[in-house]
């Protein structure tokens, strides 16, 4: 979903999100933003072909997971010092009673940009299903985060260094 949305907004990503990066062990739920001159139809890329790496997580995966995410990004940084890194949290619980071990921007500092797309008031089983989202919307359980989540992600993705 995020891959398709970013491509639709003109962000250059591989056509197939399941590609391999030569110098770094490829991990799940990563999106690779390609430099303008790089072809998007390959199945393997060099870290030098990228300008940013995004990690997609379903929800508050815990502070201990922050280290795993950061270590993954450090592996990429060792090969390409010019990369930028972002984490997309698809759904987070309410700020009124937030999960104490959720991912937070202050945990990453300026090394990683955190984007939260949806805030929900209660737990939601099978959030990936349209019916679940429809029910949560109908019950007033979903809202936009204080940031502009998806718009901020698209704008951040367009900036190339």
């Amino acid at each position: 979903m995020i891959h398709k949305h970013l491509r639709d907004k003109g962000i250059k990503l591989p056509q197939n999100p399941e590609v391999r990066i030569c110098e770094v062990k490829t991990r799940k739920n990563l999106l690779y933003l390609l430099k303008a001159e790089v072809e998007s139809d390959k199945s393997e890329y060099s870290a030098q072909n990228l300008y940013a790496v995004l990690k997609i997580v379903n929800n508050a995966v815990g502070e201990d997971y922050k280290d795993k995410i950061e270590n993954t990004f450090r592996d990429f940084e060792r090969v390409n010092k010019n990369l930028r890194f972002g984490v997309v949290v698809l759904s987070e619980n309410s700020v009124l009673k937030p999960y104490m071990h959720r991912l937070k921007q202050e945990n990453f500092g300026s090394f990683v940009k955190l984007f939260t797309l949806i805030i929900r008031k209660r737990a939601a089983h099978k959030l990936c299903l349209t019916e679940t989202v429809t029910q949560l919307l109908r019950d007033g359980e979903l809202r936009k985060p204080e940031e502009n989540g998806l718009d901020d992600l698209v704008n951040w993705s367009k900036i190339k260094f």
Side-chain angles (χ1 to χ4, degrees):
M1 171 185 85
I2 300 299
H3 180 268
K4 181 182 180 335
H5 184 77
L6 290 175
R7 282 184 55 99
D8 290 349
K9 294 293 183 180
I11 308 301
K12 191 163 186 184
L13 292 107
Q15 290 175 9
N16 177 358
E18 299 297 323
V19 298
R20 185 177 172 292
I21 304 301
C22 302
E23 307 91 343
V24 180
K25 183 179 176 187
T26 306
R27 303 204 171 51
K28 290 185 177 183
N29 301 322
L30 291 176
L31 292 181
Y32 307 109
L33 285 65
L34 301 172
K35 292 179 179 177
E37 67 275 8
V38 176
E39 295 177 27
S40 63
D41 61 349
K42 297 181 179 183
S43 61
E44 184 173 295
Y45 293 91
S46 166
Q48 302 305 319
N49 297 140
L50 314 176
Y51 70 89
V53 178
L54 288 169
K55 172 72 175 164
I56 311 296
V57 296
N58 287 329
N59 58 8
V61 292
E63 284 180 343
D64 59 331
Y65 195 56
K66 177 208 81 85
D67 293 335
K68 291 178 185 175
I69 293 170
E70 201 168 72
N71 289 339
T72 296
F73 290 160
R74 294 282 181 206
D75 289 345
F76 280 90
E77 184 185 47
R78 279 190 268 290
V79 181
N80 183 348
K81 301 270 188 238
N82 297 319
L83 285 173
R84 293 183 312 133
F85 304 100
V87 174
V88 179
V89 179
L90 298 178
S91 173
E92 184 57 85
N93 64 350
S94 174
V95 291
L96 299 175
K97 189 180 175 188
Y99 175 56
M100 64 189 295
H101 298 295
R102 73 191 184 283
L103 294 174
K104 297 174 263 195
Q105 181 64 59
E106 58 263 22
N107 297 124
F108 290 108
S110 61
F111 180 60
V112 175
K113 177 68 174 143
L114 187 70
F115 303 94
T116 302
L117 304 188
I118 297 172
I119 300 287
R120 65 189 190 284
K121 290 183 183 176
R122 61 182 169 90
H125 183 64
K126 297 186 178 178
L127 192 60
C128 60
L129 300 177
T130 303
E131 307 83 58
T132 305
V133 174
T134 302
Q135 177 71 38
L136 289 170
L137 281 169
R138 186 173 48 241
D139 294 347
E141 296 289 326
L142 294 181
R143 69 175 182 77
K144 286 180 76 172
E146 285 74 31
E147 318 87 43
N148 291 319
L150 203 49
D151 291 336
D152 289 346
L153 172 61
V154 169
N155 291 332
W156 179 88
S157 298
K158 288 181 179 179
I159 300 170
K160 300 173 183 132
F161 294 98

